[in-house]
Amino acid sequence: MSEQPKLKRTLTLWQVIFLGLAWNTPMIYFSVFGVAFEGSNGFLTAAYFIAVLAVLFTGASYAIMAKKIPIAGSAYTFAKKAIHPNAGFLVGWVLLLNYLFAPIIAAITFGIFLNAEFPAVPAYVWIIGLITLLAVIAIRGVSSSANISRLFVILQIIFMVVFCAYLIYGLLGDGGPGSLVSTEPFINVDLSLSVALAGASIVVFSFLGFDTMTTLSEETINPKKTIPKAIFIMIAIVGVLHVGTSYFIQLSHPGFTFTNPDSAALELVSIVGGSLLRSIFITVLIAAIFTQGLASVTSVSRLLYVMGRDSILPKNFFGYIHPKFKTPVINIIIASVISLLAIFISIDDAIRFVNFGALSAFFFVNVCVISLFLKNKEKPRFSHVITNLLCPVIGAAFIAWLLALLDIPTIMGGLLWMAAGSIYLIYLTNGFKLPLPRSTKEKTVSEQNQAI
């Protein structure tokens, strides 16, 4: 009997980082600029700084779990092995909201933006064209996705650096304050903790790419070391870009106002760099949207593959790997077909699903680290208490607070999705009388890794 095709380990550290950055999309800073500016009362620097600190706790939990369980599936796999298979199923089910709707957001944004630039071409034409192109590239292999993602991510980073250079030039030039050092963006009489936290609850969604990285564990060279490093490097890159950009904006344009939150970033770019920078901004933003869509399709196909391989979803379809391309082709096609919903739904609706799914998964990854710590019967070292108990407790508390800040329709929609998953779980387990199907290659956490 021939061996079933497997995912191929080809990804290096920086390829994983660029795929995470591609899903994360550095240029998302400008996409949410207007909403974030209003939500933080203009104090974006403090909001992003708090968001970075909060994300570091959850990122640390992801790094710990990725080292202990270097298997594709992210929060789904972590919860299944660290808590209980049924908990893993529900986490994976709610995580699907995040992964299925992420490429939809990219497609909607792509269609809306290009339709505005070229009104003669309907938005749905751009949407279908993007989805088709993303599917073809994703099918060809994850290395192709990583290489394309690297190019477009570098373009985004270069643009943000150039944008900051324009701001710095204005600060040091005639009419500017002549200084780049100030505490005003962080400490201000009008800045309260509640305002900063409110802003952080919005901008925290600019740091979600590290979950994507853990879906690539089985395609990564030496994942136990590579994935944890990639998580912290990605958070550092995004944190520096977003906090730094916010800092220079607040110094150079402290009284900035805009007419429309959706176009606030475009208004700001036009003021800072005129028509030239505006044209570059539009071009790079298109590339950013494309890159985010490619990373999203790649990630959701891997999550569906793991759930199919475990027979949680029909294995013949979702657990299939193409013998030539070594990619889950059927899953890529399924995700692409679902992405066609971008023609019919609004971006606000899609974002609601992404927010609920991502934050729920983040909460349970912190719980996974706590669970493994409490199950460890050996006397822990003090450093383990800090990294495996205190830090994930702080991370879980912050994520729970963010979940509580979501609006009622979002929470209700997420709970309905979880209810549907619970019904399917009852079916799979025959009313919890049977265990969930299990992959024949699964091992327990203790068999795979010793506690850190």
Side-chain angles (χ1 to χ4, degrees):
M1 184 176 180
S2 60
E3 187 177 357
Q4 183 180 1
K6 301 177 182 178
L7 296 171
K8 187 177 179 181
R9 293 191 185 276
T10 60
L11 295 177
T12 63
L13 172 64
W14 282 101
Q15 285 181 317
V16 174
I17 291 170
F18 279 117
L19 277 171
L21 285 170
W23 196 99
N24 210 79
T25 313
M27 289 287 286
I28 200 174
Y29 176 89
F30 295 103
S31 299
V32 303
F33 176 79
V35 176
F37 193 93
E38 288 184 336
S40 63
N41 286 351
F43 294 104
L44 278 176
T45 309
Y48 273 107
F49 184 74
I50 291 176
V52 170
L53 293 179
V55 165
L56 279 173
F57 288 105
T58 296
S61 292
Y62 267 91
I64 290 171
M65 295 306 299
K67 186 174 182 179
K68 291 184 176 181
I69 308 175
I71 304 174
S74 67
Y76 157 69
T77 299
F78 299 158
K80 180 178 65 173
K81 292 181 174 295
I83 302 175
H84 190 276
N86 291 348
F89 169 84
L90 290 176
V91 171
W93 182 265
V94 74
L95 191 61
L96 280 175
L97 287 176
N98 179 21
Y99 280 90
L100 287 173
F101 279 85
I104 292 175
I105 291 175
I108 294 173
T109 307
F110 193 78
I112 291 174
F113 181 79
L114 287 182
N115 176 248
E117 293 294 312
F118 307 100
V121 182
Y124 70 83
V125 174
W126 296 112
I127 290 172
I128 294 173
L130 176 67
I131 292 171
T132 302
L133 181 60
L134 293 178
V136 170
I137 296 174
I139 286 173
R140 286 181 59 83
V142 71
S143 292
S144 298
S145 299
N147 292 332
I148 292 173
S149 298
R150 176 173 55 189
L151 172 62
F152 288 160
V153 165
I154 289 174
L155 286 176
Q156 295 178 59
I157 294 175
I158 290 174
F159 175 82
M160 296 189 75
V161 172
V162 170
F163 179 74
C164 287
Y166 269 87
L167 295 172
I168 293 172
Y169 177 79
L171 287 168
L172 298 179
D174 294 338
S179 175
L180 300 180
V181 180
S182 174
T183 60
E184 280 293 308
F186 297 97
I187 303 174
N188 190 289
V189 292
D190 297 321
L191 173 61
S192 65
L193 180 60
S194 60
V195 169
L197 289 174
S201 70
I202 299 172
V203 303
V204 73
F205 303 118
S206 300
F207 299 87
L208 305 185
F210 50 81
D211 184 86
T212 304
M213 295 176 175
T214 61
T215 68
L216 303 172
S217 291
E218 294 180 44
E219 296 165 273
T220 300
I221 300 170
N222 195 5
K224 290 185 180 181
K225 293 183 178 180
T226 301
I227 298 297
K229 287 181 181 179
I231 288 172
F232 287 112
I233 292 174
M234 193 216 75
I235 293 175
I237 291 173
V238 176
V240 169
L241 284 174
H242 292 182
V243 174
T245 303
S246 300
Y247 176 82
F248 291 122
I249 288 174
Q250 282 188 244
L251 286 186
S252 60
H253 295 81
F256 175 67
T257 58
F258 45 84
T259 57
N260 185 349
D262 294 336
S263 61
L266 190 58
E267 295 177 37
L268 177 63
V269 170
S270 299
I271 293 172
V272 172
S275 58
L276 175 61
L277 191 63
R278 184 182 188 276
S279 298
I280 297 173
F281 170 74
I282 293 172
T283 302
V284 176
L285 187 61
I286 292 175
I289 294 169
F290 174 84
T291 308
Q292 192 265 331
L294 180 59
S296 299
V297 171
T298 300
S299 299
V300 68
S301 66
R302 271 58 180 180
L303 178 60
L304 291 171
Y305 165 71
V306 173
M307 297 181 77
R309 183 181 62 185
D310 293 350
S311 297
I312 299 299
L313 298 174
K315 187 173 183 178
N316 291 339
F317 291 95
F318 295 97
Y320 173 79
I321 294 292
H322 192 280
K324 178 181 178 180
F325 298 116
K326 300 296 189 293
T327 55
V329 172
I330 294 178
N331 294 343
I332 293 170
I333 294 173
I334 291 173
S336 300
V337 171
I338 293 175
S339 295
L340 292 174
L341 287 172
I343 299 172
F344 309 104
I345 67 176
S346 70
I347 193 169
D348 290 341
D349 292 333
I351 289 175
R352 288 193 185 101
F353 285 112
V354 170
N355 291 349
F356 186 90
L359 288 175
S360 298
F362 284 9
F363 176 81
F364 277 102
V365 170
N366 284 299
V367 173
C368 286
V369 177
I370 297 170
S371 175
L372 290 183
F373 176 83
L374 296 177
K375 290 178 181 179
N376 187 3
K377 296 182 180 179
E378 298 180 4
K379 185 177 180 179
R381 296 196 299 269
F382 179 73
S383 60
H384 286 182
V385 175
I386 298 298
T387 58
N388 290 259
L389 182 61
L390 180 60
C391 287
V393 166
I394 295 173
F398 187 85
I399 297 301
W401 176 79
L402 292 179
L403 277 168
L405 288 179
L406 295 176
D407 57 33
I408 298 300
T410 300
I411 294 175
M412 293 301 298
L415 292 178
L416 285 174
W417 175 257
M418 292 186 68
S422 298
I423 294 172
Y424 183 46
L425 175 62
I426 292 172
Y427 164 77
L428 288 174
T429 59
N430 191 22
F432 301 110
K433 296 177 183 178
L434 300 174
L436 281 170
R438 177 177 174 177
S439 170
T440 57
K441 295 186 179 182
E442 282 193 43
K443 296 180 181 181
T444 63
V445 173
S446 61
E447 291 173 325
Q448 290 177 22
N449 301 282
Q450 296 296 323
I452 296 177

